[in-house]
Amino acid sequence: MFNLPSEFWELISVFSPLFSKKVFARASQLLLGTILTHGKRTICSVLRTLGLKDITNWDLYHRVLSRAKWSSLTGSQKLLGLLVSCFCSNSKTIVLGLDDTFERRWGHKIKAKGIYHDAVRYSKSFFVKCSGLRWISVMLLTHIQWANRLWALPFLTILAPSQKYHDQVSKRHKTLSDWAKQIAFLLHRWLPDFPLITTADGSY
């Protein structure tokens, strides 16, 4: 049986109520393996890093992400609470950042994909568009003493589907500004005792 380091277990035990006992054991192993794995972090590569490449029930680890029932939103709330208590215990104001990123995905089963401007590859003479999913990342902006600089620590990602997808499913399309407003209200409920400052680029 694979045993987690005691220090690691104490840190992540706050997330245990989100899962059943068996699912949390596998989720903990996947988290540890993801931290230790270099390169592409697939389920198989994570299991190889942990020395579990010869197990016969590897499909159970895939089910943690595909079929197991647990709330990623509640997990994000708990993660934010840990980050605030660790890095912002003496702060009176919490500063948060919003930024969107694209995941290049293809295939007829990827329903929420759209065509977006690729700002990373864009130049004055070269306009680049990409097909995929747009995710909004929410980050805690805090000064890390041992790094002597400001870091953006992500704790929540939200899928922002394209307008074409919303038209297909007959739903009202949300712009980046709409998402930012909804995220701001959510964070205010999560951190009612702190004044919040949210920063983003001109897209919002």
Side-chain angles (χ1 to χ4, degrees):
M1 182 177 178
F2 187 89
N3 294 318
L4 294 172
S6 58
E7 298 84 359
F8 182 74
W9 175 261
E10 293 175 2
L11 183 63
I12 66 171
S13 60
V14 66
F15 299 101
S16 61
L18 302 179
F19 306 86
S20 66
K21 185 176 181 180
K22 291 182 178 179
V23 172
F24 183 64
R26 299 186 189 103
S28 302
Q29 294 173 23
L30 290 176
L31 176 59
L32 178 62
T34 300
I35 295 172
L36 299 176
T37 299
H38 294 279
K40 197 171 184 179
R41 293 177 174 88
T42 63
I43 299 293
C44 293
S45 61
V46 166
L47 293 178
R48 282 195 296 269
T49 300
L50 296 176
L52 301 175
K53 63 178 181 178
D54 296 325
I55 61 173
T56 58
N57 60 341
W58 54 267
D59 59 307
L60 297 178
Y61 291 87
H62 285 269
R63 293 180 185 178
V64 173
L65 301 178
S66 63
R67 294 186 180 182
K69 294 182 179 180
W70 52 279
S71 174
S72 58
L73 191 63
T74 304
S76 296
Q77 182 180 9
K78 290 183 177 295
L79 177 57
L80 176 59
L82 286 176
L83 294 175
V84 170
S85 62
C86 183
F87 297 105
C88 306
S89 57
N90 297 324
S91 300
K92 296 182 179 180
T93 302
I94 302 298
V95 183
L96 304 159
L98 297 179
D99 196 14
D100 51 301
T101 184
F102 302 108
E103 180 185 6
R104 290 171 177 80
R105 297 294 296 273
W106 298 270
H108 65 279
K109 292 186 178 181
I110 310 299
K111 303 297 183 181
K113 65 179 181 294
I115 305 297
Y116 304 103
H117 168 225
D118 190 343
V120 176
R121 298 183 178 181
Y122 171 80
S123 66
K124 292 184 178 180
S125 59
F126 193 55
F127 185 80
V128 180
K129 294 189 293 184
C130 65
S131 174
L133 302 174
R134 179 171 62 184
W135 296 88
I136 298 176
S137 180
V138 190
M139 300 153 285
L140 174 68
L141 305 181
T142 183
H143 185 267
I144 305 298
Q145 293 184 353
W146 55 265
N148 196 28
R149 64 180 57 190
L150 190 73
W151 275 22
L153 306 176
F155 60 89
L156 172 65
T157 54
I158 297 175
L159 179 63
S162 64
Q163 183 170 357
K164 180 180 178 181
Y165 169 77
H166 281 141
D167 292 340
Q168 290 174 348
V169 297
S170 300
K171 289 186 177 181
R172 183 181 68 85
H173 177 62
K174 292 183 181 180
T175 65
L176 288 178
S177 299
D178 295 330
W179 282 113
K181 181 179 180 180
Q182 186 173 348
I183 290 170
F185 282 125
L186 175 66
L187 297 177
H188 178 66
R189 290 198 300 269
W190 285 0
L191 299 172
D193 299 327
F194 292 91
L196 304 180
I197 298 176
T198 305
T199 64
D201 60 21
S203 302
Y204 292 83

